[in-house]
């Protein structure tokens, strides 16, 4: 028996080693080729599974173990959903998100019930499982395309947030739908449930937080992780004991601790476990994918994935339009959330264990979700290629403002964060100026606050001429776009040589490019703020204010000289790296020399004072 146990342990360790090795090699490779992490894990599992390398002897056992990653994921989701945050976003989350899940879920449920001729409980799992979208996949894509702050990006986030919450009741409903639940649902059972929920609220408020404080006082940071895992496991097992989902228990625990002062420590402690186990879960799902099925029925799988994306796109676009979105943002939102999501794998896996789905149905559904996720980047590409020109033609372009000939001494190009502050200071001294802004939305926004700004692109020579550059004294370039800033600066230097140009630079490269076209007075973004924070830090650490100011001024003088020296080599990366490394040593040497000189002068002054004191003492004695 000992030999058998040792053999089993050895086999499990070998499997674990292979899984970890494959993950650390294949997942970064997938990311490099633009493949989402979830798809990377699925493809890794597919490669290691029975269809190819046949590494795992029993993928089902691995799946059951890795489901704890889903429990931890739901705890993290609960931990991020502070009640105050939920309340602030309640309308978008529960109205828009609720409509998307309910309408899409019902449509897909009825279609699968009618065409597949299965029970309504089974079609419920299919419909609402496919109604969910991929949080990880969508947020990654929106982040890469810098669309998270757009209307459709913010609405996609709130819908995904509702979907994350909706997973909890969906998972909790599966035992009821399967009929496998043996619990007797009488008043005693509901009294137990109410008692457990009340107890959780009480314990989280009056016992868990003091307990965390007690553990944290030990300075053993690993105990916070152990405490968090203990609480999650305890509540999850308690939920399982009363016949509810373990995932529901983990989620509720997270929500109840969301306002705790230890929320960030808990999240940081659990995150590595969650990530590893969730990755293992997706790998085990990938291992269970039947490749023979997609080879045997490629048109069916790809056709169903395309149909799923079409249905979700149409439903969500209509909902967004009815909620008051413009056509463009409605279509973008529909494309963004058209794919299936990772929680569908969770739902289908649990449903198969509860005998609501057959293994073959689960395989087909997993393949449909996977293919739909893989097709999402293609959908984004098609939207950019055909949709963007269509939206541009459909949107009537706003005419530039006619700028009155005020002949103001100052003209500001760009009226965002920097331009507005400059304008406020000038207005405080009753200095008139003309401000130009190329963003129509920004112009409309700042005008609400009483700012006088004109809509126009400073790249256009006619706009600059109308702004009165011929008679102005100072031209301020407060434009964040590096290319536009450089273009405007080059034109003004060439055509209006009498103007004094003051420019904003986002970084050192921007500074170099502005200097190359002839701009002399340039302020780097965040530079002065950083110096001021450095001075304040030195003073807080005990340095006297005069020395702190002198130290920061020494750094500023040196860096101003350095940036001019490096302008000749900024396009040569190797030279820039060597120059930066040399500059660090040079600055340290300069500071040490200055400190030595300061100490020498201090000692001389001390000796002089002591000599004066001795002479004064001698005179007093006489």
């Amino acid at each position: 028996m000992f030999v058998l146990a040792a053999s089993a342990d050895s086999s499990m360790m070998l499997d674990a080693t292979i899984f970890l090795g494959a993950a650390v090699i294949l997942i970064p490779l997938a990311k490099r080729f633009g493949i989402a992490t979830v798809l990377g894990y699925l493809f890794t599992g597919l490669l290691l599974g029975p269809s190819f390398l046949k590494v795992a002897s029993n993928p089902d056992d691995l799946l059951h173990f890795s489901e704890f990653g889903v429990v931890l994921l739901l705890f993290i989701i609960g931990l991020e959903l502070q009640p105050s945050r939920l309340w602030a976003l309640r309308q978008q989350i529960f109205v828009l998100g609720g409509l998307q899940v309910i309408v899409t879920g019902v449509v897909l449920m009825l279609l699968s019930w009618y065409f597949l001729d299965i029970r309504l409980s089974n079609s419920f799992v299919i419909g609402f499982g496919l109604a969910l979208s991929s949080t990880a996949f969508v947020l990654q894509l929106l982040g890469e395309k810098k669309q998270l702050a757009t209307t459709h990006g913010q609405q996609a986030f709130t819908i995904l947030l509702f979907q994350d919450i909706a997973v909890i009741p969906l998972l909790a409903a599966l035992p009821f739908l399967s009929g496998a639940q043996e619990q007797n649902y009488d008043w005693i059972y509901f009294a137990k449930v109410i008692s457990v929920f009340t107890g959780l609220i009480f314990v989280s408020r009056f016992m868990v937080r003091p307990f965390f404080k007690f553990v944290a006082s030990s300075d053993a940071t690993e105990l916070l992780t152990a405490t968090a895992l203990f609480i999650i496991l305890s509540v999850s097992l308690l939920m399982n004991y009363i016949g509810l989902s373990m995932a529901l228990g983990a989620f509720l625990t997270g929500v109840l601790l969301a306002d705790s002062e230890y929320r960030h420590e808990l999240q940081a402690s659990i995150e590595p476990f969650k990530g590893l186990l969730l990755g293992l879960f997706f790998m085990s799902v990938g291992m269970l994918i039947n490749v023979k099925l997609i080879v045997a029925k490629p048109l069916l799988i790809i056709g169903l994935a395309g149909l799923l994306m079409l249905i979700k796109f149409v439903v969500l676009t209509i909902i967004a339009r009815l909620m008051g979105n413009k056509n463009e943002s409605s279509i973008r939102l529909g494309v963004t959330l058209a794919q299936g999501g990772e929680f569908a794998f969770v739902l289908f896996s649990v449903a198969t264990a509860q005998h609501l789905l057959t293994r073959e149905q689960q395989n087909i559904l997993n393949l449909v979700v996977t293919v739909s996720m893989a097709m999402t980047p293609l959908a984004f590409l098609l939207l950019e290629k055909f949709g963007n020109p269509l939206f541009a033609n459909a949107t009537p372009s706003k005419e530039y403002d006619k700028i009155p000939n005020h002949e103001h001494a100052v003209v500001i190009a760009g009226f965002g964060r920097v331009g507005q502050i400059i304008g406020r200071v000038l207005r405080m001294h009753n200095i008139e100026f003309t401000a130009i802004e190329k963003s129509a939305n920004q112009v409309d926004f700042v005008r609400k606050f009483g700012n006088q700004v004109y809509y126009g692109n400073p790249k256009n020579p006619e706009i600059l001429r109308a702004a009165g550059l011929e008679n102005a004294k100072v031209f301020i370039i407060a434009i964040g776009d590096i290319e536009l800033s450089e273009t405007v600066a080059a034109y003004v230097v060439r055509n209006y040589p009498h103007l004094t140009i003051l420019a904003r630079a986002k970084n050192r490269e921007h500074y170099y490019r502005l200097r190359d076209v002839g701009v002399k007075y340039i302020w780097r973004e965040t530079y002065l703020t950083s110096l001021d924070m450095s001075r304040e830090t030195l003073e807080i650490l005990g340095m006297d204010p005069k020395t702190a100011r002198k130290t920061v001024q020494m750094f500023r003088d040196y860096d101003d000289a350095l940036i001019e020296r490096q302008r000749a080599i900024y396009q040569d990366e190797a030279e820039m790296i060597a120059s930066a490394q040399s500059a660090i040593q040079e600055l340290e040497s300069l500071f040490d020399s200055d400190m030595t000189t300061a100490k020498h002068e201090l000692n001389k002054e001390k000796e002089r004072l002591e000599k004066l004191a001795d002479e004064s003492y001698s005179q007093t004695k006489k």
Side-chain angles (χ1 to χ4, degrees), residues 417-437:
R417 296 172 302 164
V418 177
Q420 288 179 59
I421 292 174
I422 296 171
R424 287 167 62 190
V425 174
L426 294 174
R427 191 177 290 114
M428 183 176 69
H429 290 279
N430 294 318
I431 298 173
E432 298 292 334
F433 61 88
T434 300
I436 311 165
E437 171 59 49

Side-chain angles (χ1 to χ4, degrees), residues 285-537:
V285 170
M287 282 189 284
L288 292 172
I289 291 175
N290 189 344
V291 177
K292 293 179 181 178
L293 187 62
I294 195 170
V295 172
K297 303 176 180 178
L299 293 179
L300 174 67
I301 303 299
I302 296 172
L304 287 175
L307 181 63
L308 169 67
M309 295 183 73
L310 179 63
I311 291 170
K312 293 184 74 173
F313 166 77
V314 171
V315 170
L316 190 51
T317 302
I318 292 172
I319 291 173
R321 195 71 188 89
L322 292 174
M323 293 290 291
N325 279 19
K326 294 180 180 177
N327 287 330
E328 179 182 350
S329 61
S330 300
I331 291 171
R332 290 186 184 278
L333 184 62
V335 171
T336 301
L337 298 178
Q339 77 293 124
E342 55 268 16
F343 275 119
F345 300 135
V346 179
L347 205 64
F348 296 150
S349 172
V350 177
T352 303
Q354 298 281 352
H355 306 293
L356 282 165
L357 296 175
T358 64
R359 181 52 60 98
E360 184 181 4
Q361 288 172 336
Q362 184 194 3
N363 283 332
I364 292 175
L365 291 169
N366 284 345
L367 284 172
V368 168
V369 171
T370 305
V371 171
S372 72
M373 292 169 71
M375 289 168 66
T376 301
L378 178 61
F380 268 80
L381 186 65
L382 292 173
L383 179 66
E384 290 171 359
K385 187 173 180 61
F386 299 107
N388 288 352
L390 187 65
F391 297 144
N393 293 333
T395 305
S397 57
K398 182 178 177 180
E399 290 186 4
Y400 289 140
D401 291 333
K402 291 182 179 179
I403 305 175
N405 187 16
H406 290 307
E407 296 189 358
H408 292 152
V410 180
V411 177
I412 303 174
F415 211 64
R417 296 172 302 164
V418 177
Q420 288 179 59
I421 292 174
I422 296 171
R424 287 167 62 190
V425 174
L426 294 174
R427 191 177 290 114
M428 183 176 69
H429 290 279
N430 294 318
I431 298 173
E432 298 292 334
F433 61 88
T434 300
I436 311 165
E437 171 59 49
K438 74 179 184 69
S439 169
N441 290 334
Q442 179 70 6
V443 169
D444 293 339
F445 177 75
V446 297
R447 279 177 178 171
K448 292 178 183 177
F449 296 89
N451 294 291
Q452 182 61 55
V453 58
Y454 298 102
Y455 173 52
N457 191 342
K459 188 177 180 180
N460 188 328
E462 287 301 314
I463 295 292
L464 293 176
R465 184 192 59 76
L469 259 62
E470 190 68 43
N471 301 304
K473 294 180 180 179
V474 179
F475 182 62
I476 298 172
I477 303 176
I479 301 167
D481 187 310
I482 295 177
E483 300 294 336
L484 179 61
S485 170
E486 182 186 7
T487 302
V488 172
Y491 177 82
V492 174
V493 167
R494 187 169 61 251
N495 293 279
Y496 299 92
H498 71 283
L499 277 174
T500 300
I501 302 175
L502 311 180
R504 153 204 186 185
K506 292 189 74 171
N507 48 40
R508 294 176 88 90
E509 182 187 355
H510 193 185
Y511 175 94
Y512 297 138
R513 291 169 69 169
L514 289 171
R515 288 288 287 119
D516 285 348
V517 298
V519 181
K520 295 179 181 178
Y521 305 104
I522 306 170
W523 280 260
R524 284 177 276 160
E525 260 184 31
T526 71
Y527 181 55
L528 296 180
T529 302
S530 302
L531 293 179
D532 198 40
M533 290 175 70
S534 303
R535 177 194 55 75
E536 188 70 25
T537 302

Side-chain angles (χ1 to χ4, degrees), residues 96-141:
L96 187 57
L99 280 172
Q100 186 275 327
V101 171
I102 293 170
V103 175
T104 309
V106 169
V107 169
L108 291 170
M109 178 184 74
L110 293 176
L111 287 173
S112 58
W113 172 71
Y114 182 79
F115 287 103
L116 299 180
D117 193 23
I118 56 178
R119 291 187 304 168
L120 208 57
S121 57
N122 303 57
S123 60
F124 174 88
V125 175
I126 295 172
F128 280 88
L130 293 176
L132 305 176
S133 303
S134 174
T135 302
F137 202 67
V138 169
L139 293 183
Q140 180 193 12
L141 277 173

